[in-house]
Amino acid sequence: MDQEGWDDRVTAAWASFDDYPEERAPEFRALIDALVAELPDGSPLRPFEQACAWDSTGHSDKAAPLYREALARGLSEDSGYKGRRAKIQLASSLRNIGQAEEGVKLLTPELDAPSDELDDAVRACLALCLSSLGRDREGLSLVLGALAPHLPRYQRSMANYARALVDPEG
């Protein structure tokens, strides 16, 4: 199998996602299913892409076990980036199905992971999980901390305010 060609076709399928309104969601999932059927048995990309398709079409309950399977099959070892995406998306799905505490446990270690473009997504999703648990100050602290570096001014003060929300002494 030509992995690069396959990756291009998956990227094209996801680029067409907005062409599938809610009533055509099964067609989109079938498109993804056909693409992942080309992958070798045991590939962590199979359950990952299927989880993304279920998740994106409003079925967190069906996505969560597939994200877990992808991670268990070694998605993070195959692709650290996709592994991190799977953790973010799994945490979001868990929150959606009433398991926000598990989402917090999954994402908290990601705060100390090597930095990449997903850092803000980790913080945003973790903030939502915390908020679902009534821990709004912690969630707001994460969001402000993620936002601060993007501000044209007030970066230092916003970062300090973010820390003060969870550590008034610090």
Side-chain angles (χ1 to χ4, degrees):
M1 183 187 84
D2 171 26
Q3 185 65 43
E4 188 175 320
W6 185 87
D7 289 338
D8 290 344
R9 288 184 293 127
V10 168
T11 298
W14 281 104
S16 74
F17 178 73
D18 289 336
D19 297 339
Y20 294 86
E22 187 175 338
E23 63 273 6
R24 292 185 58 210
E27 291 175 53
F28 180 76
R29 290 190 302 267
L31 173 64
I32 295 299
D33 285 344
L35 287 165
V36 301
E38 299 174 24
L39 294 169
D41 288 340
S43 169
L45 288 175
R46 276 183 156 189
F48 174 70
E49 292 295 341
Q50 289 172 315
C52 293
W54 280 109
D55 211 1
S56 297
T57 58
H59 295 277
S60 296
D61 58 324
K62 295 188 184 312
L66 290 165
Y67 286 131
R68 283 188 180 108
E69 182 181 344
L71 290 166
R73 286 187 184 185
L75 181 63
S76 295
E77 290 75 33
D78 281 7
S79 168
Y81 183 80
K82 286 186 179 176
R84 198 165 195 216
R85 279 185 52 206
K87 290 174 189 175
I88 293 165
Q89 292 165 208
L90 173 55
S92 177
S93 291
L94 291 168
R95 184 185 77 82
N96 289 337
I97 60 174
Q99 298 174 20
E101 186 65 44
E102 190 176 343
V104 169
K105 288 177 186 170
L106 184 66
L107 286 184
T108 299
E110 290 299 310
L111 294 174
D112 297 322
S115 183
D116 64 18
E117 68 184 49
L118 296 174
D119 289 352
D120 292 344
V122 166
R123 284 163 178 76
C125 188
L126 181 53
L128 287 168
C129 288
L130 289 167
S131 180
S132 292
L133 296 171
R135 296 165 59 185
D136 295 325
R137 289 180 70 85
E138 289 173 76
L140 179 59
S141 174
L142 284 170
V143 171
L144 284 175
L147 176 64
H150 303 284
L151 299 173
R153 297 188 51 95
Y154 317 111
Q155 293 172 346
R156 187 175 321 150
S157 59
M158 284 300 142
N160 289 334
Y161 293 147
R163 279 189 296 278
L165 283 166
V166 291
D167 185 13
E169 302 295 318

